[in-house]
Amino acid sequence: MKSPWIAGILNFILPGVGYLYLGIRKPFAILLLAGGAVVFLSGLDPVIGECLTALSFTPLYVLGGILMASAFAVDAVLETKRLNSLKSKNDSKEK
């Protein structure tokens, strides 16, 4: 059984890691992590970094990031509960 809270927190902090913790949606999780890495690494480039810095502090940009991370966290919690429910049903059938 996996913890819904751990999956949710992992997906909120770094979207995709919660899915990897659960062992589901691996291609999607890898794409989320790769996209985040590209955004982070492009921020290190001086020219692109200036554009990202200007964008990163606008309220709508921050709100969008929080909403997106929250949606991934809620999805991870719900998926964990679903997977745990399926596992407990299978375990009870085996007994």
Side-chain angles (χ1 to χ4, degrees):
M1 299 284 250
K2 301 281 185 165
S3 168
W5 294 108
I6 290 175
I9 290 169
L10 288 173
N11 249 16
F12 184 81
I13 293 171
L14 195 59
V17 176
Y19 296 134
L20 293 176
Y21 165 73
L22 294 173
I24 61 171
R25 300 180 183 157
K26 290 179 184 176
F28 180 65
I30 291 168
L31 287 173
L32 280 173
L33 290 170
V38 167
V39 170
F40 175 76
L41 293 174
S42 65
L44 299 178
D45 181 89
V47 175
I48 297 173
E50 289 176 20
C51 298
L52 288 177
T53 303
L55 289 173
S56 65
F57 294 108
T58 62
L60 287 178
Y61 186 79
V62 172
L63 179 62
I66 291 170
L67 289 174
M68 183 186 73
S70 298
F72 285 124
V74 168
D75 183 56
V77 168
L78 295 175
E79 281 298 307
T80 307
K81 289 180 179 181
R82 185 184 68 79
L83 291 172
N84 287 343
S85 166
L86 289 174
K87 187 175 183 338
S88 67
K89 284 180 186 177
N90 288 338
D91 290 345
S92 65
K93 286 182 184 179
E94 291 176 1
K95 292 180 181 178

